[in-house]
């Protein structure tokens, strides 16, 4: 386990079982939050240099770190992550995750000119790339590969706890 999210409103801790997790309402998310104000794929949690980061996946209701709305931010141990209106404290040990030296930057945005100032301030939605704008056809190689790689990986459902993803032949 690479850490855990502690629900501030009560409830069981949510284990962070992989170093990259998708959080949302959809069944195929690594952490399933069954709340109507949580988007299908709401945000992504990932580890860089021993520290957890969160990135909003263009959700409707956004994410906040310590009360500040963000698109992407480093989550220090003890930070409060708000997904829509649901708050969680993140607990982990950066040294156990490989951290050495000072923490990495708060955000990982590499190219400062990649997004407009309005996009970076969260005032307009980002422009979709051609790949995002083109809907993928069911059965494509990329979709098959993602489907195959998702089977048998542990995931967390907020209502059902830890369980394995269903295989291709299970009902």
């Amino acid at each position: 386990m690479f850490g855990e999210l502690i629900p501030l409103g009560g409830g069981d801790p949510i284990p962070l079982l992989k170093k990259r997790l998708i959080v949302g309402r959809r069944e195929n998310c690594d952490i399933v939050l069954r709340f109507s104000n949580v988007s299908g794929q709401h945000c992504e949690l990932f580890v860089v240099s021993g520290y957890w980061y969160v990135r909003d996946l263009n959700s409707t209701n956004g994410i906040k770190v310590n009360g500040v709305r963000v698109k992407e931010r480093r989550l220090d141990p003890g930070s409060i992550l708000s997904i829509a209106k649901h708050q969680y404290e993140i607990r982990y040990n950066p040294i156990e995750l490989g951290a050495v030296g000072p923490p990495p930057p708060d955000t990982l945005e590499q190219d400062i000119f990649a997004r407009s100032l309005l996009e970076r301030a969260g005032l307009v939605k980002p422009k979709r790339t051609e790949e995002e704008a083109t809907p993928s056809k069911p059965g494509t190689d990329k979709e098959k590969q993602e489907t195959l790689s998702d089977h048998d990986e542990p995931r967390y459902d907020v209502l059902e706890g830890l369980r394995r993803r269903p295989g291709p032949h299970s009902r």
Side-chain angles (χ1 to χ4, degrees):
M1 185 167 75
F2 301 105
E4 58 188 1
L5 293 174
I6 309 298
L8 294 186
D12 295 331
I14 300 170
L16 303 175
L17 300 172
K18 301 187 300 184
K19 289 188 174 184
R20 182 184 175 279
L21 300 159
I22 301 295
V23 179
R25 200 175 65 241
R26 288 188 189 157
E27 287 291 322
N28 64 346
C29 291
D30 299 301
I31 298 175
V32 179
L33 300 177
R34 296 177 189 272
F35 302 109
S36 60
N37 60 346
V38 173
S39 295
Q41 287 192 333
H42 200 97
C43 62
E44 173 183 23
L45 295 169
F46 56 97
V47 175
V48 174
S49 300
Y51 286 83
W52 279 99
Y53 281 79
V54 63
R55 178 180 298 136
D56 192 330
L57 297 176
N58 296 320
S59 64
T60 303
N61 292 313
I63 58 173
K64 292 180 181 179
V65 175
N66 297 325
V68 178
R69 189 168 179 139
V70 298
K71 292 298 273 175
E72 177 182 281
R73 185 64 44 106
R74 185 183 71 232
L75 295 168
D76 293 324
S79 292
I80 304 300
L81 171 63
S82 300
I83 302 171
K85 299 273 186 204
H86 309 281
Q87 294 187 323
Y88 303 89
E89 177 186 346
I90 186 162
R91 292 187 185 164
Y92 69 100
N93 185 337
I95 294 170
E96 290 177 3
L97 298 180
V100 178
D106 283 348
T107 60
L108 297 174
E109 192 165 331
Q110 307 285 325
D111 183 4
I112 194 164
F113 298 109
R115 298 188 313 156
S116 74
L117 285 173
L118 292 174
E119 286 175 356
R120 293 198 332 243
L123 299 174
V124 297
K125 291 200 177 222
K127 294 178 184 174
R128 291 171 41 177
T129 63
E130 189 173 321
E131 184 178 300
E132 292 173 331
T134 307
S136 63
K137 296 177 184 172
T140 61
D141 289 339
K142 183 178 179 184
E143 185 177 300
K144 286 179 186 174
Q145 184 178 6
E146 287 174 359
T147 303
L148 291 175
S149 67
D150 282 346
H151 295 306
D152 296 328
E153 289 184 12
R155 67 184 191 93
Y156 190 88
D157 186 313
V158 79
L159 293 181
E160 299 176 21
L162 183 64
R163 67 179 188 179
R164 295 223 165 260
R165 291 193 174 163
H169 302 294
S170 61
R171 292 264 175 219

